[in-house]
Amino acid sequence: MKQKELTSRLMHIVGEEGVILNPADQETYVNDWLGKAHGRTVAVVRPRNTTEVSAVMRLCHQSHTPVVPQGGNTGMSGGATPDLSGAQVVLSLNRMKRIHDVDPVNNTLTADAGVILAEIQQAARKVGRYFPLSLGAEGSCTIGGNLATNAGGTGVLRYGNTRDLTLGLEVVLPDGRVWNGLRALRKDNTGYDLKDLFIGSEGSLGIITGVVLKLFAAPAGRITAWVGVQNLANVVALLNRLQADCGPRLSAFEMMSAPSLSLVTTQLEAHVSPLKKIYPYYALIELADTRLAGLQDMLQTGLSAAIEEGLIDDCVVAMSEAQSVSMWKLREGISLAQVKAGKAVKHDIALPISGLASFVAEADQAVLTDFPGLPIINFGHIGDGNLHYNVLLPLDVAPEDYKEKTTGLNKRIHDLVAQFNGSISAEHGVGTLRRDELRRYKSTVEMDLMIAIKRALDPNQLMNPGKLL
Ligand code: FAD
Ligand code: MLT
Ligand code: ZN
């Protein structure tokens, strides 16, 4: 089908205002947030509902047009960016923004895939409930993108990742057929769990158009603390101690190294460390419960004991919500501070928590020896064993040097991750960033199974080609 015919038929389905053809207006859809992935598109298509998504997919199926699904375009693995051919359609969910139902008795929320994560949190709050998925991009990422990447964030320690928060899905298949699996059930053993196939599939199997999410009792408030620690082994020991003392009240446990904190305080205005002295590592700790009574004492008792045991050197407990917010701003500012400071070679790795300290000791030594002088920006969701073990290259690094160092660093770090039985993507997904490396670290059996699933659902290879597999 000729390009002109394709675009006019797309307009017929979604209306003229739903198709973006002007390259200047396509800019934000064909480049990623990190400024690393760039592409071109024949058209950005913005359907308003599942029926329109289905008609667009049927047309793309008939015309053999590849489709790149896109939510908020905040992904970190290049998965939402079209390639440079200009032949792919970007299908944006950003006009599918309806919350259909909030049921505080069943504790569920049903929404379109294009709803912004922060709006889902807000809708839950309105009925006295809580939706715990939380991440730095929550003001612009969509629930469909969260599902497609099985996003993690800072609430995983207590509530699990996006997969754990999902009860039902609606998906438009590559040929346009609609699978309505919008069931609000906590138990359903009627065969294969199809929703789990699509969660984390990064747009490679179909378009997620709707979702049923779990809601939880709303916490009455939170107590936040910022802690200075001498080494990573002590950070892990503190995590174990607080888990034992506080049980499920421990709702977040994040780590940042001294260079990560210093990057934030130097790159971003009005970001100040709560502690005067510099420590090699910091932990950001949060307790939350449906009753606040006793929570502060619980945290303070735990931290005092940890000081006596020599696990931590210093700490501050936030005395107001404003103080708590400014502690969280330090943690959430790292992504932006990195973009401002240089070109980060990013790693999003998962390790058994018991292996974290030894892994970092070996990785630090490897980077120091093989890539001397490059700052290591190590931070992450340590309560989930998820590190963002990044290495910063200068902003003006030459493209060939960037490529060579990235390849070398990835291999060095990821080989070590494999030795520790870890994963090369904990929460950001594979996209284009890790696609070639995936084959190195997955077994042949795993790759064969994944390829068989892809072929069964998308035999013409039209869904997000070049991503993940
Ligand atoms: P997009 O970027 O648009 O897409 C991501 C992938 O999903 C692509 O492969 C795309 O093709 C696919 N996709 C999108 N929508 C659909 C759909 N409806 N159907 C099928 N496929 C679809 N991630 C974490 O896990 N934890 C964090 O703590 C975290 N922090 C972040 C902080 C910042 C500042 C930023 C910029 C990003 C962060 N991320 C984090 C990355 C994260 O993956 C995303 O923010 C989010 O989950 C992606 O949602 P999105 O709507 O922007 O998806
Ligand atoms: C985070 O934990 O802040 C994110 O996953 C983003 C990042 O790695 O930059
Ligand atoms: Zn993260």
Side-chain angles (χ1 to χ4, degrees):
M1 190 180 293
K2 292 257 165 51
Q3 195 164 316
K4 213 157 179 202
E5 186 186 346
L6 177 73
T7 52
S8 95
R9 286 178 66 178
L10 287 170
M11 280 179 193
H12 185 71
I13 297 167
V14 301
E16 251 178 61
E17 68 292 348
V19 179
I20 303 174
L21 296 177
N22 178 352
D25 298 333
Q26 291 176 347
E27 281 289 297
T28 52
Y29 295 88
V30 297
N31 300 295
D32 74 344
W33 185 87
L34 289 170
K36 286 184 176 171
H38 308 283
R40 291 171 56 228
T41 180
V42 55
V44 177
V45 185
R46 302 163 62 230
R48 288 163 289 203
N49 52 48
T50 304
T51 310
E52 289 187 1
V53 176
S54 167
V56 169
M57 291 310 294
R58 253 197 323 275
L59 173 60
C60 290
H61 180 69
Q62 282 160 11
S63 58
H64 300 285
T65 308
V67 177
V68 180
Q70 191 177 96
N73 198 15
T74 66
M76 296 213 154
S77 304
T81 311
D83 67 14
L84 286 164
S85 68
Q88 303 183 333
V89 159
V90 174
L91 192 154
S92 168
L93 280 292
N94 68 8
R95 290 207 296 173
M96 289 185 56
K97 295 173 69 69
R98 279 179 56 204
I99 294 179
H100 295 269
D101 181 48
V102 189
D103 181 346
V105 177
N106 198 37
N107 277 312
T108 49
L109 181 153
T110 307
D112 284 349
V115 178
I116 300 288
L117 173 56
E119 288 164 10
I120 302 245
Q121 296 165 343
Q122 176 68 22
R125 260 197 303 273
K126 262 194 183 157
V127 296
R129 296 291 180 270
Y130 181 59
F131 183 64
L133 183 65
S134 175
L135 43 103
E138 64 197 24
S140 45
C141 64
T142 62
I143 193 67
N146 302 145
L147 281 154
T149 55
N150 187 25
T154 53
V156 175
L157 181 67
R158 175 155 171 189
Y159 296 97
N161 48 29
T162 309
R163 187 187 300 282
D164 301 309
L165 304 174
T166 307
L167 292 176
L169 278 191
E170 180 186 72
V171 179
V172 176
L173 300 175
D175 59 10
R177 282 179 301 157
V178 180
W179 169 53
N180 184 339
L182 288 173
R183 284 184 280 270
L185 305 174
R186 282 170 177 77
K187 287 187 164 179
D188 179 9
N189 278 353
T190 51
Y192 301 137
D193 194 334
L194 296 177
K195 73 178 179 337
D196 273 345
L197 260 188
F198 294 99
I199 299 172
S201 67
E202 301 183 47
S204 65
L205 300 178
I207 311 276
I208 298 170
T209 46
V211 57
V212 183
L213 300 166
K214 288 184 197 168
L215 300 182
F216 297 82
R222 59 180 178 175
I223 309 291
T224 315
W226 183 269
V227 178
V229 188
Q230 284 300 339
N231 57 58
L232 202 54
N234 284 356
V235 178
V236 172
L238 178 65
L239 165 71
N240 289 154
R241 178 177 231 297
L242 292 178
Q243 277 179 313
D245 285 357
C246 312
R249 291 175 202 87
L250 183 66
S251 52
F253 194 101
E254 297 285 310
M255 174 280 285
M256 52 204 287
S257 64
S260 312
L261 177 63
S262 143
L263 200 69
V264 174
T265 54
T266 51
Q267 293 293 331
L268 306 181
E269 268 174 38
H271 284 66
V272 182
S273 172
L275 294 173
K276 281 210 177 80
K277 274 182 77 177
I278 296 172
Y279 297 95
Y281 289 96
Y282 301 93
L284 174 58
I285 299 161
E286 187 178 278
L287 297 197
D289 204 348
T290 48
R291 288 169 186 218
L292 267 181
L295 218 54
Q296 184 148 350
D297 282 352
M298 184 182 275
L299 184 56
Q300 256 154 355
T301 310
L303 293 175
S304 304
I307 290 181
E308 268 171 38
E309 286 166 22
L311 288 184
I312 63 180
D313 284 52
D314 202 356
C315 64
V316 188
V317 176
M319 299 313 283
S320 65
E321 180 57 19
Q323 272 181 14
S324 170
V325 167
S326 47
M327 287 178 185
W328 273 104
K329 267 173 67 182
L330 291 168
R331 167 62 185 86
E332 281 167 355
I334 306 176
S335 303
L336 183 61
Q338 281 181 125
V339 171
K340 284 177 173 256
K343 290 219 162 132
V345 181
K346 288 169 81 75
H347 301 108
D348 165 39
I349 58 186
L351 296 152
I353 292 170
S354 45
L356 283 169
S358 324
F359 169 86
V360 169
E362 281 193 47
D364 284 356
Q365 192 54 50
V367 175
L368 205 70
T369 311
D370 297 351
F371 305 88
L374 294 181
I376 298 168
I377 307 300
N378 181 16
F379 65 100
H381 318 282
I382 204 152
D384 319 324
N386 177 188
L387 295 180
H388 299 302
Y389 188 91
N390 302 338
V391 180
L392 203 60
L393 303 181
L395 272 174
D396 60 356
V397 61
E400 319 78 60
D401 197 19
Y402 176 71
K403 202 168 167 212
E404 193 194 312
K405 292 230 166 52
T406 301
T407 311
L409 277 160
N410 285 347
K411 182 157 184 305
R412 200 73 181 84
I413 302 300
H414 289 156
D415 280 358
L416 197 58
V417 168
Q419 272 176 41
F420 277 77
N421 286 321
S423 165
I424 64 165
S425 175
E427 58 172 11
H428 293 167
V430 173
T432 47
L433 188 71
R434 307 258 167 263
R435 189 198 57 195
D436 297 338
E437 287 177 279
L438 197 65
R439 286 168 197 276
R440 183 172 168 83
Y441 301 106
K442 285 265 186 202
S443 70
T444 314
V445 174
E446 274 178 304
M447 286 307 297
D448 284 354
L449 287 173
M450 293 212 293
I451 290 166
I453 291 168
K454 170 79 175 167
R455 285 202 181 120
L457 271 83
D458 181 24
N460 299 332
Q461 312 268 340
L462 294 177
M463 287 306 310
N464 220 358
K467 314 291 167 49
L468 179 55
L469 288 172

